[in-house]
Amino acid sequence: MPFKDVPANVDFPSQEREVLQFWKETNAFQKLRELRKGQPRWSFIDGPITANNPMGVHHGWGRTYKDLYHRFLDDARPRGPLQNGFDCQGLWVEVEVEKELGFKSKKDIEAYGLDRFVRKCKERVLRYAAVQTEQSVRLAIGWTGTIPTSCACWPRS
């Protein structure tokens, strides 16, 4: 069978949108999970990245390599839930929120109010957790949920 001609000018962003739409329309990730129903399950615990900014390329590499391993094992048996966890550790999130608010010292946090500051930190985590989840989907990593983890101030249910 001969190879098809490849266009010289490929519109990669357009191709990406088409592929993402195809995955969404066909429910591809859920279908893979359904194919493995009833087989022994396995799980993988990933050290989550901090939800403080968009993913760096090094996060994308790590997630991609881990996902390749998952897909290899998925060929043999299903895995547990695909939860996208995020580290909500204070320091990196706090530093960025301090910059956003124009703070120059920790006394500025006290004057602003610790409760209000913690809420701002949580808002930042949720905002960047959503950004990183979308980035993960674009890397073809099919998460079924997003959970903030490792946060002493996060409300527990």
Side-chain angles (χ1 to χ4, degrees), residues 6 11 14 16 24 26 30 42-43 51-52 55-58 64 75 83 88 92 97 99 113 117-119 130 135 140:
V6 177
D11 182 359
S14 176
E16 178 187 13
K24 189 175 183 178
T26 62
Q30 186 59 34
W42 67 280
S43 64
N52 189 40
M55 267 196 279
V57 70
H58 56 290
T64 300
D75 283 345
Q83 291 180 311
C88 307
W92 304 117
V97 171
K99 287 181 195 175
F117 184 76
V118 168
R119 276 194 299 277
Q135 289 175 309

Side-chain angles (χ1 to χ4, degrees), residues 45-157:
I45 299 173
D46 182 14
I49 61 178
T50 303
N52 189 40
N53 284 303
M55 267 196 279
V57 70
H58 56 290
H59 296 118
W61 287 337
R63 286 192 165 196
T64 300
Y65 289 134
K66 292 169 192 170
D67 193 60
L68 286 171
Y69 182 73
H70 292 186
R71 295 197 191 233
F72 171 76
L73 288 179
D74 277 346
D75 283 345
R77 56 194 177 275
R79 66 178 124 169
L82 301 170
Q83 291 180 311
N84 194 16
F86 295 98
D87 192 336
C88 307
Q89 62 183 336
L91 181 60
W92 304 117
V93 174
E94 290 174 19
V95 167
E96 291 301 319
V97 171
E98 287 176 45
K99 287 181 195 175
E100 283 178 11
L101 296 173
F103 292 171
K104 303 292 180 208
S105 75
K106 300 299 180 194
K107 292 196 182 291
D108 293 332
I109 296 172
E110 292 173 355
Y112 182 75
L114 190 56
D115 288 347
R116 286 176 63 201
F117 184 76
V118 168
R119 276 194 299 277
K120 283 283 194 190
C121 291
K122 289 179 183 181
E123 289 169 9
R124 183 176 180 89
V125 165
L126 291 175
R127 182 170 66 244
Y128 284 103
V131 168
Q132 291 178 8
T133 298
E134 179 61 30
Q135 289 175 309
S136 295
V137 168
R138 292 177 68 191
L139 290 171
I141 300 170
W143 303 111
T144 56
T146 297
I147 52 170
T149 59
S150 305
C151 186
C153 62
W154 209 265
R156 304 281 185 224
S157 53

